[in-house]
Amino acid sequence: MRTPDRTSFEVTPSVPTESLNARQIRIDASPQTSADRRVLHVGRSATPGVVERAEAGEFDILTAEPTRLIHAGRTYEAASAPSLRRRPREKTGRPAWVRWALQRYLLLTPSPNRQPVIAEALGTTQQSVSRAAQALQGLVTDEGKGLLAPDRARLLEHWRSEYAGPGGQEFGWYGLDPVTEQVGQVVNIAALLEVHALVSGDVAADRLAPWKLPMRGRVYVAGPIDLSDDGFVPAPLGEATLITCVPRDPTLWRLAPHVEEAEGSDGFPIADAAIVHWDLLMSGDQDSGEAAQQVSRLLTGGR
């Protein structure tokens, strides 16, 4: 690991857990732990007692809520490092997954569909779809054949302005193989582990609307997978060649096309075009904006 002040050290990360408590610390402790390579206890959160002991230098911890590393008694907060990736503005309140998914559905399906059909596709109730449609007055119409977005470009702009993003936990990995091969390897590993995976970002965009050479891989997975034994090493998100993400948005899996329907996918399970468009916009990588515009044409019917 390398800290913001460029201090480097080696750790052995534990299996991530929901909450780091005294019992979990004892379970993760290794008799082989040395001063040169300490165990890094990883969890979504940590109890006050564990944080206090880590600050006293007894052991190292890494948490997601808040994002914080405590190593050798020194605390490194996420705010102390510069932001490496563009982030959407902070959303408050309960995520409107159904409303946001309805907008993606209408962008992905140019023909009208009735609410029961949409509800089944989104894995929700007809009442939820009806409420979501009512909240989109002016963007969605129903002329008897089903819901339809008459101005898909306007709907895409509206969805981008209010969508909070897939969210979830991100894990950075670094590999030496071409990015497309790295993504293919992760998809295969996920299949062996029976973990649902979806390809997004550069590689998915290259399959949907070729424009730029893939520079970084992005794969959504239903649960964390360890790639350290398969030619990858953990890396900061800003330096990673591949990012895996366990998303909060449950609708990613509902709207993804079947592999055989994703033209040119080469067997990759690809996320829906709206999510690929979003990830390109948020990546901040060179040429991602232009690539996002190419994907947006698929969603709006533009040429």
Side-chain angles (χ1 to χ4, degrees):
M1 301 190 73
R2 186 172 66 240
T3 62
D5 63 5
R6 308 194 67 81
T7 300
S8 297
F9 52 87
E10 293 186 356
V11 295
T12 301
S14 69
V15 176
T17 186
E18 188 68 22
S19 177
L20 290 173
N21 52 39
R23 178 176 179 275
Q24 190 63 49
I25 296 295
R26 289 195 299 271
I27 293 175
D28 292 340
S30 168
Q32 285 78 35
T33 300
S34 68
D36 294 333
R37 184 186 289 270
R38 296 159 60 111
V39 172
L40 178 64
H41 303 276
V42 183
R44 181 186 297 273
S45 61
T47 64
V50 165
V51 172
E52 183 177 348
R53 291 173 60 190
E55 291 175 338
E58 291 187 36
F59 42 72
D60 299 342
I61 65 171
L62 175 67
T63 61
E65 298 175 0
T67 305
R68 172 177 55 192
L69 167 70
I70 303 179
H71 169 70
R74 184 172 180 180
T75 300
Y76 301 92
E77 300 283 356
S80 64
S83 177
L84 295 173
R85 304 175 67 231
R86 289 177 52 197
R87 295 290 182 180
R89 71 175 187 269
E90 190 70 19
K91 306 291 183 179
T92 58
R94 184 177 179 181
W97 299 128
V98 173
R99 186 175 75 244
W100 298 330
L102 174 61
Q103 295 175 72
R104 284 171 31 231
Y105 180 94
L106 296 174
L107 288 168
L108 297 165
T109 53
S111 58
N113 282 287
R114 299 187 182 279
Q115 292 184 18
V117 175
I118 298 175
E120 182 178 0
L122 301 185
T124 187
T125 64
Q126 182 178 343
Q127 290 78 9
S128 296
V129 172
S130 178
R131 287 194 298 268
Q134 291 175 7
L136 296 171
Q137 290 183 359
L139 296 169
V140 177
T141 61
D142 188 346
E143 299 178 355
K145 296 183 179 180
L147 297 180
L148 181 69
D151 188 339
R152 295 167 67 189
R154 184 176 165 219
L155 179 62
L156 176 60
E157 181 179 356
H158 182 271
W159 174 76
R160 283 196 306 249
S161 69
E162 71 166 22
Y163 185 48
Q169 293 178 294
E170 294 183 328
F171 303 87
W173 301 92
Y174 186 88
L176 297 177
D177 293 330
V179 169
T180 301
E181 293 182 16
Q182 293 183 36
V183 167
Q185 187 176 2
V186 173
V187 169
N188 291 335
I189 294 170
L192 289 174
L193 297 174
E194 297 184 345
V195 175
H196 198 174
L198 287 175
V199 177
S200 187
D202 291 1
V203 173
D206 189 51
R207 296 308 193 265
L208 295 174
W211 180 259
K212 61 170 290 190
L213 180 69
M215 301 298 294
R216 189 197 310 265
R218 184 173 184 84
V219 182
Y220 289 105
V221 288
I225 56 176
D226 186 0
L227 305 177
S228 56
D229 292 331
D230 296 282
F232 295 89
V233 293
L237 296 179
E239 301 175 13
T241 57
L242 182 139
I243 294 174
T244 58
C245 176
V246 183
R248 289 186 60 206
D249 188 343
T251 67
L252 262 63
W253 318 108
R254 305 292 307 189
L255 291 181
H258 296 296
V259 171
E260 59 271 17
E261 296 175 357
E263 184 178 353
S265 66
D266 292 345
F268 287 169
I270 293 180
D272 67 75
I275 292 298
V276 175
H277 173 72
W278 171 270
D279 285 332
L280 289 171
L281 289 176
M282 293 299 112
S283 72
D285 292 338
Q286 186 177 8
D287 296 334
S288 290
E290 290 86 348
Q293 290 180 6
Q294 298 299 316
V295 176
S296 72
R297 293 181 178 181
L298 298 177
L299 296 167
T300 62
R303 295 289 185 266

